[in-house]
Amino acid sequence: MATANNKARCLVCNKEKNTYSCKGCSNEFCFPHLTEHRQRIETQLEEIINDYDQFQQAIVQQKRNPHNSSLIQQINQWETNSIEKIRQTAEECRETAMELTQKSISEVEKKFSNLSKKLKKIREENEFNEIDLHNFQLKLTQITKELRQPSNISIQQDSQEFINKISVISSFEEIQIKKNKYQQFGITVAGGNGDGQGLNQLYYPYGIFIDNEKSIYIADYSNHRIVKWKLNSKTGQIIAGENGMGNQNNHLTATTDVIFDKENNSFIISDMGNRRVIRCFDQNQTNQQTIVSNIICWGLTIDKNGFIYVSDWGNHEVRRWKQGDKQGELVAGGNGQGNDLNQLNYPTNIFIDEEYSLYISDYKNHRVMKWEKDAEEGTIVAGGNGQGNSLKQLSHPRGLIIDHLYQIYVADCRNNRVVRWCEGNEEGEIVVGGNGKGSQSDQLNQPTGLSFDNEENLYVVDKNNYRIQKYEKI
């Protein structure tokens, strides 16, 4: 409330008049301007009262309509957005599932076609037994199950979320996870003491195989012998070729490969320098027989029927020999030296799988060829892009094995590495080595042979380091 004051200057008109002091703002006003000041204050009061009335109405409205609150509106928006995301995710999953289902059907159709061809073939040749029939029935059951419920496609839900997220996952993309991985530093398990004839030495080793006791059998090329190194042994034991280089039954010359024939309990040896393949029934040096003559054999393999496959380095071909055969059956190459799909160029190591598909290191074509049973030509499954050290190339491939996923391991000799290829891929991947030529534990110097033991550890014949390296599976 204003109080009278002696003459002073009014805050508004700045004239010296009888003025009145406002207790609210402590300013001096003449009477006319004091009246204006009071009206202004009253107007502000009315505005505040109006704001309060409006807020009161807002409270009443909120009580009457709680669904209109900002929180509920945010929840509604979240719901709308979530539904749209669910719809989009469901549509994407449907499209992915249909694409993968078609891919799975194509894979099953391919397997069925191959199986049908093989069934038709054995029927035409009238060469089958109960084991073959059982295998055919088992495979048909497997692909039937695969057609009805593909094992490599599934729905994955994330149950940790309030709204479960779903996605389609496929083993087509996950197969990399299943690949074996190996320690990059090898352990020397045979040789490694320089070149020489001692029982703790090797001299340009080539072929190799591992038995169930993890004993290592080595074709010791320049020592003209086959040696056996037992697990954790510091020295080897000569099991063939103890009498040195020569062409008699108790001699060997330039051995390149050795395999074991379980059915006949005998070793099969590539006695390349004597142009023959021999069978050694036991460690008695005199108990040997020649099974293939007049052949420059480099690599050997044996199928589940006991048939022996021999790579003929000189004739650029591979032949299969049944017991008692006088002339092997041509199964790959045989069309002269060349790089066409029906030709080979100095074949070295070979491997036969359970389906009788033959894999061949085509040495001077710098590629690995796969010849299916009774095929007239092969397909390139590794390399084939000229000599080189890129992941698309090989340089003089030698040792060759296939793992449980039908992945192809190749001793990439002149690139001083072991590479792995999946059939159909444009390039391989380095498994071990690839760190330059050398004798360190993570290096190789012209690897020539490969083998797995029964725990899938990888063994590599490190030829120019005169040693066998073991790379443990991780």
Side-chain angles (χ1 to χ4, degrees):
M1 187 169 178
T3 57
N5 195 4
N6 292 329
K7 288 186 177 182
R9 291 187 179 279
C10 172
L11 178 67
V12 178
C13 61
N14 200 27
K15 293 180 180 179
E16 190 174 295
K17 294 181 179 181
N18 291 327
T19 59
Y20 303 86
S21 176
C22 176
K23 293 184 177 181
C25 62
S26 300
N27 291 318
E28 299 293 327
F29 298 92
C30 65
F31 184 79
H33 289 131
L34 175 63
T35 303
E36 290 179 0
H37 179 65
R38 294 296 303 169
Q39 289 176 346
R40 190 178 302 112
I41 292 174
E42 289 175 358
T43 299
Q44 290 177 355
L45 175 62
E46 291 297 327
E47 291 176 352
I48 291 173
I49 292 174
N50 184 58
D51 289 341
Y52 269 73
D53 289 341
Q54 290 181 1
F55 184 76
Q56 180 66 37
Q57 291 177 5
I59 292 175
V60 173
Q61 289 176 356
Q62 287 285 3
K63 286 183 176 181
R64 291 177 179 176
N65 301 293
H67 295 293
N68 291 333
S69 72
S70 61
L71 291 176
I72 296 300
Q73 289 175 0
Q74 291 179 46
I75 294 171
N76 291 343
Q77 187 62 50
W78 170 85
E79 179 184 30
T80 300
N81 295 340
S82 297
I83 291 172
E84 179 61 22
K85 288 180 180 179
I86 291 171
R87 188 196 66 76
Q88 291 176 356
T89 303
E91 184 62 27
E92 291 171 0
C93 287
R94 276 190 288 267
E95 292 178 0
T96 303
M98 286 189 289
E99 290 176 2
L100 292 175
T101 299
Q102 289 299 318
K103 184 175 182 179
S104 179
I105 292 172
S106 297
E107 292 291 327
V108 171
E109 187 177 24
K110 182 179 179 181
K111 292 178 182 178
F112 178 71
S113 176
N114 291 336
L115 191 61
S116 297
K117 290 178 182 178
K118 293 173 183 176
L119 185 62
K120 181 179 179 182
K121 186 69 176 178
I122 69 165
R123 185 176 182 182
E124 290 175 352
E125 294 179 349
N126 197 26
E127 184 180 341
F128 56 90
N129 54 39
E130 291 87 347
I131 296 175
D132 293 322
L133 297 180
H134 174 74
N135 288 336
F136 275 112
Q137 186 61 53
L138 179 62
K139 289 175 182 176
L140 180 59
T141 301
Q142 290 173 343
I143 62 175
T144 300
K145 182 179 179 181
E146 185 70 19
L147 180 63
R148 293 175 178 171
Q149 182 58 52
S151 61
N152 50 17
I153 308 174
S154 61
I155 298 296
Q156 177 176 278
Q157 298 193 36
D158 186 353
S159 60
Q160 300 301 314
E161 299 291 334
F162 177 72
I163 297 177
N164 290 344
K165 297 178 180 179
I166 66 170
S167 60
V168 178
I169 60 174
S170 167
S171 63
F172 295 127
E173 287 80 14
E174 294 178 350
I175 193 162
Q176 294 288 343
I177 300 174
K178 299 178 183 178
K179 289 182 179 179
N180 289 344
K181 294 183 179 180
Y182 297 91
Q183 297 287 353
Q184 294 301 297
F185 295 92
I187 303 168
T188 301
V189 291
N193 299 298
D195 62 299
Q197 298 179 358
L199 292 179
N200 68 338
Q201 294 178 303
L202 299 170
Y203 195 3
Y204 292 130
Y206 276 94
I208 183 178
F209 85 89
I210 317 294
D211 67 16
N212 290 333
E213 283 73 44
K214 295 184 176 62
S215 292
I216 309 167
Y217 297 80
I218 308 163
D220 194 7
Y221 178 86
S222 291
N223 280 327
H224 317 291
R225 66 191 184 185
I226 305 296
V227 291
K228 173 183 179 180
W229 287 62
K230 292 183 179 180
L231 180 64
N232 298 324
S233 177
K234 299 297 183 182
T235 59
Q237 172 191 358
I238 301 173
I239 64 170
E242 188 172 14
N243 299 301
M245 182 172 61
N247 59 9
Q248 302 302 311
N249 284 340
N250 59 349
H251 294 86
L252 296 172
T253 300
T255 52
T256 57
D257 207 358
V258 56
I259 59 175
F260 187 70
D261 182 354
K262 294 180 181 179
E263 184 176 344
N264 294 294
N265 192 31
S266 60
F267 298 100
I268 310 298
I269 301 168
S270 171
D271 188 13
M272 189 180 73
N274 287 320
R275 299 176 62 88
R276 66 187 179 186
V277 176
I278 67 170
R279 183 188 298 273
C280 179
F281 285 98
D282 53 36
Q283 295 177 24
N284 181 350
Q285 301 292 308
T286 61
N287 193 6
Q288 298 177 4
Q289 68 174 204
T290 299
I291 57 177
V292 183
S293 300
N294 194 29
I295 185 172
I296 304 176
C297 169
W298 198 280
L300 297 166
T301 190
I302 188 168
D303 69 20
K304 57 188 177 184
N305 294 323
F307 300 159
I308 299 167
Y309 296 73
V310 179
S311 67
D312 189 337
W313 170 272
N315 290 319
H316 312 288
E317 64 186 24
V318 178
R319 288 185 176 271
R320 178 177 61 207
W321 294 77
K322 301 179 183 179
Q323 193 164 356
D325 279 355
K326 293 184 178 180
Q327 183 176 359
E329 179 183 357
L330 181 68
V331 292
N335 296 296
Q337 180 182 7
N339 60 6
D340 290 337
L341 294 179
N342 67 343
Q343 293 179 306
L344 298 170
N345 192 353
Y346 294 103
T348 55
N349 298 72
I350 53 179
F351 184 92
I352 192 82
D353 69 15
E354 292 294 316
E355 303 295 331
Y356 304 101
S357 291
L358 181 66
Y359 298 80
I360 306 166
S361 282
D362 195 6
Y363 183 73
K364 289 196 175 180
N365 281 327
H366 312 291
R367 67 188 184 185
V368 174
M369 301 294 292
K370 177 183 178 181
W371 289 65
E372 296 185 353
K373 184 181 178 182
D374 301 322
E376 294 183 356
E377 63 180 30
T379 57
I380 300 171
V381 292
N385 296 299
Q387 181 182 6
N389 60 7
S390 77
L391 291 179
K392 293 183 178 181
Q393 296 174 302
L394 298 171
S395 180
H396 300 90
R398 288 192 183 271
L400 183 67
I401 49 176
I402 313 298
D403 70 6
H404 64 289
L405 293 175
Y406 283 81
Q407 297 174 111
I408 305 155
Y409 291 68
V410 186
D412 192 7
C413 184
R414 300 289 177 84
N415 284 325
N416 306 299
R417 65 191 184 185
V418 176
V419 293
R420 177 170 56 198
W421 290 65
C422 291
E423 185 175 349
N425 286 4
E426 292 185 358
E427 62 182 35
E429 59 180 332
I430 298 173
V431 179
V432 295
N435 298 306
K437 180 171 66 175
S439 59
Q440 299 300 313
S441 60
D442 64 341
Q443 293 179 306
L444 297 168
N445 190 349
Q446 294 200 16
T448 55
L450 300 176
S451 185
F452 292 124
D453 64 19
N454 50 16
E455 294 181 347
E456 294 185 307
N457 297 308
L458 176 65
Y459 294 73
V460 181
V461 179
D462 193 8
K463 178 175 73 76
N464 285 9
N465 283 324
Y466 317 106
R467 66 187 183 184
I468 310 300
Q469 295 292 89
K470 175 184 176 181
Y471 297 87
E472 294 184 341
K473 176 184 173 184
I474 300 174

